[in-house]
Amino acid sequence: MLSDWLYIGIFLFIALLLPAVAIGLAAILSPKKPNKIKDLTYECGLETVGETWVQFKAQYYIFALVFLIFDVETVFLFPWAVAYQKVTLFGVVEAIIFVAILLAALVYVWRKGALEWF
Amino acid sequence: MNFATDPMNSIIEIFRGWLLSLGVSSSWAQFILFVIGAGILATIPMLITLGLIWAERKLLGRIQDRLGPNRVGPWGIFQTMADMVKIFTKELITPKNADRIPYNLAPILSVAGVLALWAIIPFGISIIGVNLNVGVLYLIAVGGFGTLGFMLAGWGSNNKYALLGAFRAIAQLISYEVPMAISLLIPVMFSGSLGMADIVASQDVWYIVLSPVAALVFFIATIAEVGRSPFDLLEADSELVSGFNIEYSGLKFGMFYVADFLHAFTVSLLFTTIFLGGWRGPLAAQYPWLGFVYLLIKTVIVWFLSVLIRGSMPRIRIDQMMFFNWKVLTPLSLGLLVTTALVGKAIPAQQTALRVIGLLIMNGLLLLITNFIWRAVSSSKVRPVVTAEPYGGQTTGIKEVSS
């Protein structure tokens, strides 16, 4: 059980190491001739104007919030899904009520117009 | 266990015996085996990518009535090798205004996020990195790694188009994660386990037969997760120059390229594992390497389908993409979850044939209802067509006409 996670740890370390080593190798092999114009931001070919890191559309926040609701919901449903073979019809109905509440939430968000992209 | 039926585990056992005979304690021997195994399993996908890029370019070329790469080696098979050698010797330009840490971390994270998925895929009955008991949750969690890479790339580049691309990427990837996670609940319900090897082992009937709608939702959601056509809004060349990777050059750009192509193959592998029975096939339980061959054949078919979709679909608009996810796929997958739970309980698991027929009818009905609602909703919402009055008329301004 613990050795499973040891393997995952080693694997993640190697997965991070491989691209890092490749980029490090390329950094050694490649020429380094920076100059003032080359190091400017490319953007779309023209000179960049104004600040990039500005406030952005609130729409993205709303979608992130809706996503959070549904993601937490699925996390709650996974244990139920694992136990699905063993639970009785009552357990299934309970889960359905849970999903129905969330469907109601989806309908609410929908009616509020939060799912419109404009 | 002998060499003919299971060569991989035989080699592992021989190697472990050799380590133990050198006087290495058994837990250290296990650790060394883990490091070597993980190293090999993580390197193979990077090498496969070389072939994948060539195959995909060739296929897309044929779809578009071109030849594709055909100069280096027979059928241009070494084109990717040549590209790789070239890209290694290209200068890595870091813009002066970029935020260094996220800028350099992004390509590494996006490749690592894809590679990490390979740790839990069962390639045969005994060929698996590790059968994690929370495999499906791991899959969803690690899938978020790549998203983080896009976000860091867009933010760190200090470039407006890259930032817009990153915003779109986040909006798209987190949205499509919802139907994907819900459609993954259904295989978990049938198998009663979150471990990938257990999900494969329980597929006496492939889950695509038991729940074709879940497979369809998962397939669409994974295409969106990979960010390929028709969901390639995050790197829409015509609107965003190139998306989140504009400021990258040399191998740092190459890493995004590798991650993209490898991710497409990896999600095909996951689709095969979860819905198409993975390594299962005749004699696969006795000969693990045969299971590997079956897995590869099925995966290539799924991957070919996704390349075909990439080659034939135009890009959709961002509001259409959000509409499709939140108003079609999410309610559909939630409805599917509820009805599958009810039908699965109504028909006991022993009566396999009856269960398959019941679930198939239910899936078909659900698709019909969704199609009906979709038609009704999308026909009620028509975007106004803006036309200009011909010159010389009473009104010369722009007028809205609803068609």
Side-chain angles (χ1 to χ4, degrees):
Chain A
M1 178 54 224
L2 202 65
S3 70
D4 282 0
W5 288 103
L6 177 68
Y7 184 84
I8 292 290
I10 295 168
F11 197 93
L12 283 181
F13 180 72
I14 290 175
L16 285 169
L17 198 69
L18 274 176
V21 165
I23 289 174
L25 208 64
I28 295 167
L29 286 175
S30 61
K32 280 168 279 291
K33 291 176 194 133
N35 65 43
K36 207 177 164 193
I37 294 174
K38 201 193 271 178
D39 285 351
L40 289 178
T41 305
Y42 170 72
E43 205 157 273
C44 58
L46 300 174
E47 274 180 51
T48 172
V49 178
E51 189 84 357
T52 304
W53 295 323
V54 291
Q55 292 175 324
F56 49 86
K57 215 173 158 184
Q59 203 72 26
Y60 292 104
Y61 278 122
I62 295 170
F63 275 103
L65 280 176
V66 179
F67 159 74
L68 201 63
I69 298 164
F70 280 90
D71 222 33
V72 170
E73 172 222 346
T74 23
V75 169
F76 278 129
L77 279 172
F78 267 109
W80 168 79
V82 172
Y84 172 74
Q85 312 270 3
K86 300 183 194 82
V87 297
T88 53
L89 192 62
F90 180 68
V92 172
V93 171
E94 270 189 330
I96 288 171
I97 291 169
F98 182 65
V99 173
I101 293 170
L102 277 143
L103 266 175
L106 183 67
V107 171
Y108 174 76
V109 174
W110 191 334
R111 299 281 298 177
K112 272 281 178 187
L115 299 182
E116 302 296 326
W117 191 273
F118 46 83
Chain B
M1 190 201 308
N2 62 50
F3 195 80
T5 59
D6 192 356
M8 206 189 82
N9 280 315
S10 309
I11 292 171
I12 289 174
E13 287 313 314
I14 292 166
F15 191 69
R16 189 199 298 275
W18 180 70
L19 277 178
L20 290 175
S21 72
L22 284 180
V24 181
S25 74
S26 66
S27 52
W28 273 107
Q30 183 66 34
F31 182 76
I32 292 168
L33 282 173
F34 271 178
V35 171
I36 294 171
I40 291 171
L41 188 56
T43 316
I44 286 173
M46 299 286 272
L47 297 177
I48 289 177
T49 315
L50 291 178
L52 280 178
I53 293 174
W54 169 78
E56 186 152 347
R57 283 179 64 184
K58 198 82 183 165
L59 277 172
L60 283 177
R62 301 312 307 200
I63 289 170
Q64 295 162 2
D65 208 5
R66 292 183 287 117
L67 285 172
N70 66 342
R71 294 282 151 168
V72 193
W75 310 290
I77 205 161
F78 298 120
Q79 181 67 51
T80 332
M81 299 279 191
D83 286 347
M84 197 185 70
V85 171
K86 182 186 166 190
I87 213 167
F88 257 101
T89 57
K90 284 285 167 189
E91 184 173 357
L92 297 168
I93 305 167
T94 309
K96 201 167 72 235
N97 292 330
D99 195 345
R100 292 263 164 167
I101 295 169
Y103 179 86
N104 287 317
L105 207 57
I108 297 173
L109 268 184
S110 57
V111 173
V114 184
L115 281 185
L117 290 173
W118 284 63
I120 55 159
I121 295 171
F123 296 99
I125 193 164
S126 58
I127 313 169
I128 178 171
V130 54
N131 182 22
L132 212 57
N133 58 356
V134 288
V136 176
L137 281 180
Y138 175 84
L139 190 155
I140 296 169
V142 169
F145 248 63
T147 320
L148 193 63
F150 295 153
M151 186 74 226
L152 289 178
W155 190 258
S157 296
N158 197 356
N159 173 326
K160 290 167 203 78
Y161 290 106
L163 194 61
L164 276 176
F167 284 164
R168 284 186 178 188
I170 301 302
Q172 171 175 337
L173 300 190
I174 67 172
S175 296
Y176 277 85
E177 205 150 298
V178 171
M180 192 180 90
I182 298 172
S183 66
L184 277 175
L185 278 167
I186 285 155
V188 173
M189 263 162 59
F190 288 140
S191 67
S193 169
L194 288 169
M196 296 297 267
D198 304 332
I199 287 178
V200 174
S202 67
Q203 289 188 59
D204 293 325
V205 182
W206 290 0
Y207 289 150
I208 195 171
V209 180
L210 281 177
S211 189
V213 176
L216 185 70
V217 171
F218 183 77
F219 186 66
I220 295 171
T222 50
I223 288 180
E225 285 274 304
V226 177
R228 318 205 102 186
S229 182
F231 299 101
D232 56 347
L233 291 131
L234 51 158
E235 42 192 70
D237 308 26
S238 51
E239 305 156 24
L240 294 176
V241 188
S242 165
F244 60 89
N245 54 24
I246 306 170
E247 295 295 333
Y248 286 87
S249 66
L251 202 67
K252 285 182 193 164
F253 170 76
M255 282 297 147
F256 285 119
Y257 202 67
V258 166
D260 179 30
F261 281 83
L262 188 59
H263 205 174
F265 189 74
T266 310
V267 294
S268 311
L269 205 55
L270 287 173
F271 183 86
T272 311
T273 307
I274 295 168
F275 288 102
L276 290 181
W279 47 263
R280 288 179 74 109
L283 286 178
Q286 284 84 40
Y287 299 92
W289 59 269
L290 204 60
F292 182 66
V293 174
Y294 290 141
L295 179 73
L296 213 60
I297 292 170
K298 291 176 197 173
T299 306
V300 167
I301 291 170
V302 175
W303 174 80
F304 179 73
L305 199 65
S306 74
V307 173
L308 210 60
I309 288 172
R310 184 190 175 185
S312 49
M313 292 272 202
R315 182 183 305 132
I316 61 173
R317 270 197 327 258
I318 189 157
D319 62 318
Q320 289 169 331
M321 183 194 80
M322 287 301 185
F323 172 87
F324 186 62
N325 178 66
W326 289 106
K327 300 183 182 173
V328 180
L329 282 187
T330 306
L332 173 66
S333 53
L334 280 174
L336 181 71
L337 180 68
V338 169
T339 44
T340 307
L342 282 177
V343 175
K345 268 290 167 228
I347 306 167
Q350 289 80 22
Q351 290 163 301
T352 315
L354 196 64
R355 197 179 173 148
V356 169
I357 292 167
L359 283 169
L360 271 182
I361 291 170
M362 184 273 292
N363 273 284
L365 277 177
L366 210 63
L367 264 190
L368 275 180
I369 294 167
T370 312
N371 188 33
F372 179 73
I373 295 174
W374 187 7
R375 286 283 152 85
V377 171
S378 53
S379 67
S380 73
K381 180 180 165 247
V382 177
R383 279 164 70 94
V385 180
V386 180
T387 53
E389 282 287 301
Y391 184 74
Q394 205 71 353
T395 51
T396 48
I398 289 170
K399 185 182 159 194
E400 274 195 358
V401 179
S402 59
S403 61

